[in-house]
Amino acid sequence: MQTKIIALDPLHPDKQAIGQAAAIIRRGGLVAFPTETVYGLGGDATNCEAVKKIYQAKGRASDNPLIIHIAAMSDLARYAAAVPESAKKLAAAFWPGPLTMILPKKEIIPAAVSGGLDTVAVRLPSDQIARSLIRAAGTAIAAPSANLSGKPSPTTPAHVIADLNGRVEMILAAGSCTVGLESTVISLTGATARLLRPGGITYEMLCRVLGDVEIDAGVTHRVDDRARVASPGMKYKHYAPNARLTLVKGGAPACARYIKAHILDPGKEGVVCFDEETPLYAGYRVFPYGGRDQDNQQGQRLFAVLRSLDQAGITRAYVRCPDTAGVGLAVYNRLLRAAAFDLVEV
Ligand code: TXA
Ligand code: MG
């Protein structure tokens, strides 16, 4: 398939280009588009054939459900069978934005979207291009991250093109995503709200609105593939570069000692550390991913840094473990998976 790549101004997207992209969605085709979190691989959420194409283009397991994206709060009732008080409060506080809510689903959402679950994941993105596209398409857009399954999520047009050129009809290209990590996913189907995937809307922010929020064990621990998993996406190895990663947790000097003692081939083995720690690794191949206390910056840069390891021919990297407050919990969650839970404390 020939992929049409269209560059757009993030704040004033060309209406004609949005119209073309929306027409592709309406007739069941696929369009990759920017959101504030990561780029999405979009198709009509109410069209089974389009949804099938999404799974094929990504190489994704069909039991891992998709998020549907809407353009206005008033669209929610078309797709969700019930909207609890907690959902209304969260929407008022954080929509449009990087928050996905799991709610009971309506019939209009095919089983293929929800991996056979009786719930649906819904998000109202803040990105102008995303919202214009959804509005113009006149339907909810199902969109996983626009990467090949298992690869780090795409936060720039170059990432999307590397993974999906030839696999989608159109790519809307509009610079780097501002959050850089996939949306926060919260389930509102039980008695207590449950955080399934941390993201730009932090645990602390959710607690301020809801009072009580449980953190699913899968956020910080390996979930057994055979166990029933609250969010199926969490059981797959994810976000991983080709390089093998080890997360190293501890103080800066102790981590530097450990990492330097373990790097055997400095040509092919690298260090992913905080910006201010690069002097500790003089002579090594260093990939800084943000300031030590800059959780938002770490989130914004993480996936690009993971992809750059592969481009640099790094086969093994040691990664400084982030603090888990704020967006740090999301950075930690993604890094744990990228490292297949290989974490050492020094
Ligand atoms: O920021 C984002 O959320 C991006 C952009 C494109 O919006 N999308 C994204 O989609 O990250 P994806 O498919 O890569 O991740 C969807 C996550 C998976 O972990 C999946 O298991 C979970 O949401 N999910 C979807 N529907 C669910 C449901 N009904 N119940 C529980 N988890 C669900
Ligand atoms: Mg994904």
Side-chain angles (χ1 to χ4, degrees):
M1 176 190 306
Q2 180 84 21
T3 299
K4 200 165 176 190
I5 300 170
I6 300 187
L8 289 178
D9 178 336
L11 296 179
H12 306 283
D14 178 58
K15 282 207 181 89
Q16 226 180 327
I18 296 289
Q20 279 178 33
I24 292 172
I25 300 282
R26 275 198 303 273
R27 60 173 160 72
L30 304 183
V31 175
F33 62 97
T35 84
E36 69 278 21
T37 58
V38 300
Y39 276 76
L41 165 51
D44 182 350
T46 62
N47 177 337
C48 288
E49 291 307 313
V51 172
K52 249 188 242 165
K53 285 186 204 164
I54 294 176
Y55 283 96
Q56 277 166 6
K58 250 188 98 88
R60 175 167 171 137
S62 62
D63 67 339
N64 187 7
L66 306 176
I67 293 171
I68 71 162
H69 298 69
I70 59 176
M73 180 63 189
S74 53
D75 295 341
L76 186 57
R78 279 171 71 182
Y79 307 104
V83 180
E85 208 47 47
S86 54
K88 289 178 190 155
K89 282 190 193 161
L90 289 175
F94 305 121
W95 274 4
L99 177 71
T100 296
M101 301 193 233
I102 311 288
L103 297 166
K105 85 172 184 71
K106 273 194 174 162
E107 221 32 43
I108 184 170
I109 296 299
V113 167
S114 57
L117 300 170
D118 53 10
T119 52
V120 62
V122 191
R123 176 157 112 78
L124 173 51
S126 61
D127 184 274
Q128 286 303 323
I129 296 176
R131 285 174 72 191
S132 314
L133 176 63
I134 302 161
R135 209 175 292 117
T139 181
I141 295 184
S145 47
N147 52 299
L148 289 176
S149 203
K151 292 280 159 212
S153 291
T155 56
T156 69
H159 298 161
V160 181
I161 293 165
D163 280 16
L164 295 181
N165 198 11
R167 291 172 173 263
V168 296
E169 288 190 47
M170 185 177 278
I171 295 173
L172 299 178
S176 294
C177 303
T178 51
V179 178
L181 298 171
E182 309 84 347
S183 62
T184 302
V185 178
I186 190 165
S187 172
L188 301 173
T189 57
T192 309
R194 178 181 287 263
L195 178 63
L196 301 181
R197 180 175 76 181
I201 302 301
T202 65
Y203 170 70
E204 293 86 340
M205 291 161 81
L206 295 166
C207 287
R208 278 201 288 276
V209 172
L210 295 181
D212 199 16
V213 177
E214 285 172 14
I215 301 183
D216 193 84
V219 169
T220 50
H221 294 87
R222 192 194 292 274
V223 285
D224 187 335
D225 276 4
R226 290 157 301 177
R228 233 182 74 89
V229 177
S231 188
M234 292 198 301
K235 77 183 180 189
Y236 300 100
K237 187 180 174 198
H238 242 138
Y239 321 115
N242 297 326
R244 185 181 146 210
L245 305 184
T246 298
L247 267 179
V248 186
K249 186 173 175 183
C255 286
R257 271 196 304 278
Y258 176 91
I259 291 171
K260 289 195 267 192
H262 282 77
I263 288 185
L264 304 174
D265 178 355
K268 290 198 166 145
E269 300 178 35
V271 187
V272 179
C273 66
F274 304 122
D275 292 353
E276 49 279 71
E277 293 176 3
T278 55
L280 294 174
Y281 300 96
Y284 290 87
R285 300 191 69 184
V286 183
F287 300 81
Y289 76 103
R292 189 186 302 136
D293 303 317
Q294 305 290 315
D295 54 339
N296 288 306
Q297 188 183 49
Q298 293 166 15
Q300 212 261 331
R301 270 159 58 176
L302 181 69
F303 287 136
V305 167
L306 293 184
R307 280 182 183 252
S308 72
L309 294 175
D310 288 344
Q311 270 161 4
I314 297 289
T315 56
R316 178 105 181 75
Y318 294 86
V319 186
R320 285 283 279 120
C321 188
D323 187 65
T324 56
V327 175
L329 182 63
V331 176
Y332 177 64
N333 167 272
R334 305 308 191 274
L335 275 171
L336 270 178
R337 281 166 176 75
F341 291 88
D342 186 13
L343 169 74
V344 293
E345 291 194 44
V346 298

